[in-house]
């Protein structure tokens, strides 16, 4: 069973279940989502800011510190620009793009959908920046964590590359989880880990779904924990008969 929030996010993305692997996430996201996909040679905060300035006329800060990174999401008014680095391997670019798609869905489309459901279509003009929010609307959006204006999503790190806050870690975990589900649905990936095989689980997931090994290892841990929790839930519900 997939987590409720994850099922809702997959549905909101509009992306169909993959039928071939590795998934061509660039093709599917480009067709189904209101996003522009940008590949940059040597992705940095400066190159993202330069692209936004040249192509969209936006002068918006991207990061407090100049640095390189694998991917970036910039979103506003229901549309997004998703960046990735052309110097990365094909597998890394695939996962990076899925991760940025996940940020777009979870951190931009989901709050918009929640606001529209709660406040009605009249609020769309605020979400799309056709009019400024009234003070009461601004307060409500702040309390409901609905973003207004340009939204930039990076993994906030210090100079040593460590994640700075628990909230950022949680957001990145959820983006990773959705990225994995888009590239390697758990209902397909989990059975692979149960098969008797000479290769370790991360090698099998990496080979089947085109995941970088480092991320495949993370997904193995996620799926193992998921199966353990499902087993505990069954025992709790059925008692010894569920064993």
């Amino acid at each position: 069973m997939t987590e409720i929030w994850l099922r809702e996010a997959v549905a909101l993305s509009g992306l169909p279940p993959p039928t071939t692997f590795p998934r061509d996430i660039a093709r599917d996201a480009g067709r189904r989502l209101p996003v522009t996909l940008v590949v940059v040679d040597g992705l940095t905060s400066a190159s993202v800011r330069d692209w936004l300035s040249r192509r969209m006329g936006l002068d918006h800060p991207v990061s407090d510190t100049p640095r390189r990174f694998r991917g970036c999401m910039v979103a506003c008014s229901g549309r997004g620009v998703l960046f990735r680095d052309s110097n990365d391997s094909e597998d890394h670019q695939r996962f990076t793009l899925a991760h940025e798609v996940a940020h777009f869905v979870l951190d931009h489309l989901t709050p918009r959908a929640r606001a529209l459901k709660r406040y009605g279509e009249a609020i769309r003009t605020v979400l799309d920046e056709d009019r400024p929010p009234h003070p009461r609307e601004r307060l409500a959006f702040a309390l409901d964590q609905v973003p207004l204006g340009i939204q930039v999503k990076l993994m906030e790190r210090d100079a040593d590359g460590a994640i700075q806050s628990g909230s950022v870690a949680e957001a990145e975990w959820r983006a990773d989880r959705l990225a994995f589900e888009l590239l390697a649905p758990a209902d397909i990936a989990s059975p692979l880990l149960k098969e008797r095989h000479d290769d370790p689980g991360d090698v099998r997931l990496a080979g089947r779904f085109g995941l970088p090994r480092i991320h495949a290892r993370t997904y193995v841990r996620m799926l193992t924990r998921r199966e353990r929790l499902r087993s505990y839930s069954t025992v709790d519900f059925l008692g010894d008969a569920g064993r």
Side-chain angles (χ1 to χ4, degrees), residues 11-236:
L12 186 59
S13 76
L15 298 180
T19 56
T20 59
F21 301 103
R23 180 177 200 164
D24 188 344
I25 189 68
R27 178 197 63 197
D28 292 346
R31 289 177 177 176
R32 297 285 185 138
L33 285 166
V35 295
T36 299
L37 308 182
V38 180
V39 184
V40 175
D41 181 6
L43 187 63
T44 65
S45 52
S47 62
V48 170
R49 186 167 186 171
D50 179 65
W51 191 95
L52 294 174
S53 177
R54 288 187 296 103
R55 300 294 294 272
M56 302 182 69
L58 297 176
D59 183 14
H60 190 78
V62 174
S63 175
D64 293 335
T65 58
R67 59 187 177 87
R68 293 190 62 175
F69 41 85
R70 293 190 186 276
C72 173
M73 179 212 75
V74 180
C76 184
S77 304
R79 302 191 63 84
V81 183
L82 310 182
F83 295 87
R84 65 189 190 275
D85 193 332
S86 64
N87 292 324
D88 287 338
S89 68
E90 183 178 355
D91 287 351
H92 271 292
Q93 288 192 52
R94 180 182 298 109
F95 184 79
T96 294
L97 180 53
H99 181 90
E100 300 310 326
V101 166
H103 271 308
F104 180 66
V105 172
L106 292 170
D107 302 322
H108 191 72
L109 294 186
T110 296
R112 279 176 61 90
R114 187 170 64 243
L116 287 167
K117 181 177 180 180
R118 181 166 184 175
Y119 302 109
E121 278 295 320
I123 208 67
R124 188 181 294 274
T125 54
V126 176
L127 295 171
D128 290 346
E129 296 196 301
D130 292 330
R131 69 170 176 87
H134 302 310
R136 185 176 298 177
E137 291 171 334
R138 186 178 295 278
L139 176 60
F141 277 21
L143 293 175
D144 290 343
Q145 297 182 318
V146 177
L148 292 175
I150 299 172
Q151 189 179 12
V152 178
K153 278 295 178 179
L154 301 171
M155 182 181 287
E156 296 297 336
R157 296 175 181 272
D158 60 24
D160 296 324
I163 296 174
Q164 290 181 329
S165 71
S167 61
V168 171
E170 172 67 15
E172 293 301 320
W173 183 90
R174 286 167 65 90
D176 277 352
R177 181 65 188 89
L178 178 53
F180 286 130
E181 192 66 24
L182 295 175
L183 295 177
D187 289 344
I188 298 175
S190 287
L192 291 181
L193 300 180
K194 298 176 183 178
E195 296 175 358
R196 297 179 64 87
H197 203 283
D198 292 337
D199 292 332
D202 62 320
V203 173
R204 280 175 275 161
L205 294 188
R208 175 72 185 280
F209 301 109
L211 300 174
R213 282 285 300 278
I214 187 172
H215 295 304
R217 286 193 289 271
T218 297
Y219 198 27
V220 168
R221 291 194 295 270
M222 285 184 177
L223 292 175
T224 301
R225 181 175 182 274
R226 174 178 179 265
E227 290 301 313
R228 189 179 301 121
L229 290 175
R230 289 177 65 180
S231 176
Y232 289 160
S233 297
T234 301
V235 171
D236 290 342

